[in-house]
């Protein structure tokens, strides 16, 4: 990680702060680390860590954002993309556009993710229905929906862990 106020620690994945860091700088560092962990070619081996990275990236939006993490057959990241933006409490999601983007990425699997600006990560019935529609649409072209994650400042909820997939 290259940042002017960080230096590599003695153990891989650790860092030393070399100067005074503001809260804003600290948040920017965290977001840069999260983007790096979700970069092309990174294998998603620990879903719990992916949840943390996604929470860091999406929890501060003041509007809903629906994104997707496109993966290859070995669950390596192809890309992480924001697909739709909404208002403070909803975002319109179009299955056709999600399928088009997944095919363009040559994805074998996808992790869907959206945020709740309210902070409460509980999934709504609306998103449960759209997730089922996306799962069916992507399934027609043999792309698996591994999970749908809802991000809020109060935590994350995984549709897979909740038994919704």
């Amino acid at each position: 990680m290259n940042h002017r106020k960080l230096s590599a620690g003695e153990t891989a994945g650790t860092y030393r702060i070399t100067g005074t860091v503001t809260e804003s700088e600290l948040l920017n560092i965290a977001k840069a680390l999260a983007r790096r962990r979700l970069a092309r070619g990174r294998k998603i081996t620990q879903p719990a860590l992916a949840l943390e990275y996604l929470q860091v990236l999406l929890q501060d939006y003041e509007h809903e954002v629906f994104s997707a993490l496109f993966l290859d057959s070995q669950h390596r990241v192809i890309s992480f993309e924001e697909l739709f933006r909404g208002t403070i409490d909803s975002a319109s999601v179009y299955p056709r556009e999600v399928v088009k983007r997944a095919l363009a990425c040559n994805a074998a699997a996808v992790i869907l993710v959206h945020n709740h600006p309210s902070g409460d990560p509980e999934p709504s019935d609306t998103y449960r229905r759209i997730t089922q529609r996306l799962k069916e649409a992507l399934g027609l072209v043999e792309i698996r929906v591994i999970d749908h994650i809802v991000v809020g400042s109060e935590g994350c909820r995984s549709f897979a862990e909740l038994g919704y997939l």
Side-chain angles (χ1 to χ4, degrees):
M1 173 78 193
N2 289 331
H3 188 274
R4 60 187 168 82
K5 293 185 180 179
L6 287 183
S7 64
E10 293 178 19
T11 309
T14 64
Y15 302 90
R16 283 192 304 269
I17 297 175
T18 59
T20 303
V21 179
T22 66
E23 185 176 301
S24 176
E25 288 174 313
L26 198 55
L27 291 171
N28 287 334
I29 291 168
K31 287 180 182 183
L33 283 168
R35 274 189 227 93
R36 188 172 170 200
R37 294 291 181 233
L38 296 174
R40 183 177 187 83
R42 292 285 187 143
K43 191 167 186 171
I44 304 295
T45 56
Q46 298 175 338
L49 287 177
L51 287 174
E52 289 180 22
Y53 304 142
L54 292 167
Q55 184 174 14
V56 166
L57 291 173
L58 296 177
Q59 71 183 356
D60 293 332
Y61 281 101
E62 293 179 352
H63 56 277
E64 279 202 14
V65 175
F66 187 93
S67 303
L69 191 56
F70 297 106
L71 308 171
D72 67 13
S73 60
Q74 300 300 309
H75 293 175
R76 290 181 301 243
V77 175
I78 297 169
S79 81
F80 175 63
E81 300 180 17
E82 180 182 303
L83 300 174
F84 308 102
R85 282 180 174 239
T87 61
I88 60 170
D89 62 357
S90 69
S92 296
V93 177
Y94 302 97
R96 173 187 174 90
E97 297 303 316
V98 176
V99 171
K100 278 175 45 178
R101 191 65 201 129
L103 288 170
C105 289
N106 200 29
V110 64
I111 296 174
L112 306 169
V113 58
H114 79 279
N115 69 315
H116 280 176
S118 68
D120 180 6
E122 285 305 314
S124 66
D125 287 337
T126 301
Y127 273 108
R128 287 177 67 181
R129 286 190 299 274
I130 192 65
T131 301
Q132 189 58 40
R133 288 183 59 209
L134 287 167
K135 184 178 174 184
E136 291 167 5
L138 289 161
L140 290 172
V141 291
E142 299 177 3
I143 299 171
R144 289 185 321 120
V145 175
I146 294 174
D147 205 347
H148 184 156
I149 298 164
V150 184
V151 172
S153 59
E154 298 171 12
C156 296
R157 295 291 183 270
S158 159
F159 277 46
E161 288 178 6
L162 294 168
Y164 297 158
L165 287 178

